[in-house]
Amino acid sequence: MAIRSIITDTDPLLHKVCRPVEKFDERLWQLLDDMSDTLAKANGVGLAAPQVGVLRRLFIMNTGDGVKEYINPTILEESGTQECVEGCLSSPGEYGIIHRPQKVKIQAQNRNGKFFIQSLEGLAAECVCHETDHLDGVLFKSKVVRMLSPEELAN
Ligand code: ZN
């Protein structure tokens, strides 16, 4: 296991569309384990593979109940709306107000390639949308209603 460096939003890699994961092998598991260490060290909620420079469709998330892995994710359904104050490990110190679905249903594969479906809401739904956007080269800053000012961040 190792910490990988997180690239920032000026890096062209974060603006590219990622390719599907095809091999569920030790190389993938190493990446997932490294991303888990990296997310913990950064005190983040979610981390997508392109943020560590790997253009593959996977992300991990920890909303407080352990690390969950989502490989080749597809959001099947969205419902409701929530207003969130959102940031990104690739945009350090920057936060904005954004509208996300309140609930999502997501299909993905686990590290062994097995398909699963989950229904998520609140922070987990927000995070899944944010991370899935990363896999399509979309950053939260392109979707914000507005960014928070330094004065608002200080409060
Ligand atoms: Zn992000």
Side-chain angles (χ1 to χ4, degrees):
M1 309 238 279
I3 307 289
R4 303 210 183 189
S5 45
I6 298 174
I7 60 178
T8 59
D9 55 26
T10 54
D11 193 308
L13 284 181
L14 276 181
H15 301 264
K16 293 195 152 69
V17 176
C18 299
R19 287 166 292 143
V21 172
E22 283 157 5
K23 289 183 189 161
F24 295 81
D25 58 6
E26 284 186 15
R27 194 150 172 242
L28 173 69
W29 302 335
Q30 183 70 60
L31 171 63
L32 288 163
D33 290 344
D34 288 354
M35 284 173 63
S36 182
D37 286 352
T38 306
L39 181 66
K41 177 145 188 283
N43 258 320
V45 177
L47 184 67
Q51 293 181 276
V52 295
V54 178
L55 292 178
R56 291 287 180 173
R57 303 190 75 82
L58 69 99
F59 68 84
I60 63 168
M61 170 170 92
N62 186 350
T63 54
D65 54 351
V67 175
K68 301 198 173 96
E69 300 170 344
Y70 298 83
I71 298 159
N72 297 328
T74 308
I75 294 175
L76 302 175
E77 289 175 30
E78 301 181 349
S79 61
T81 311
Q82 57 177 327
E83 187 174 276
C84 312
V85 173
E86 199 164 295
C88 178
L89 292 176
S90 294
S91 308
E94 297 187 274
Y95 296 87
I97 295 166
I98 190 167
H99 295 143
R100 296 288 192 187
Q102 174 64 28
K103 295 183 181 179
V104 298
K105 187 186 273 189
I106 184 172
Q107 174 188 276
Q109 286 167 278
N110 71 12
R111 61 165 58 203
N112 296 309
K114 188 170 187 285
F115 283 92
F116 65 90
I117 290 177
Q118 274 180 359
S119 293
L120 301 166
E121 57 185 297
L123 177 61
E126 175 194 0
C127 184
V128 155
C129 293
H130 178 116
E131 302 308 329
T132 303
D133 278 348
H134 270 303
L135 308 183
D136 293 318
V138 174
L139 299 173
F140 86 103
K141 284 157 83 174
S142 71
K143 291 188 164 180
V144 291
V145 178
R146 67 177 181 87
M147 296 301 287
L148 296 187
S149 66
E151 292 75 27
E152 288 173 294
L153 286 173
N155 290 324

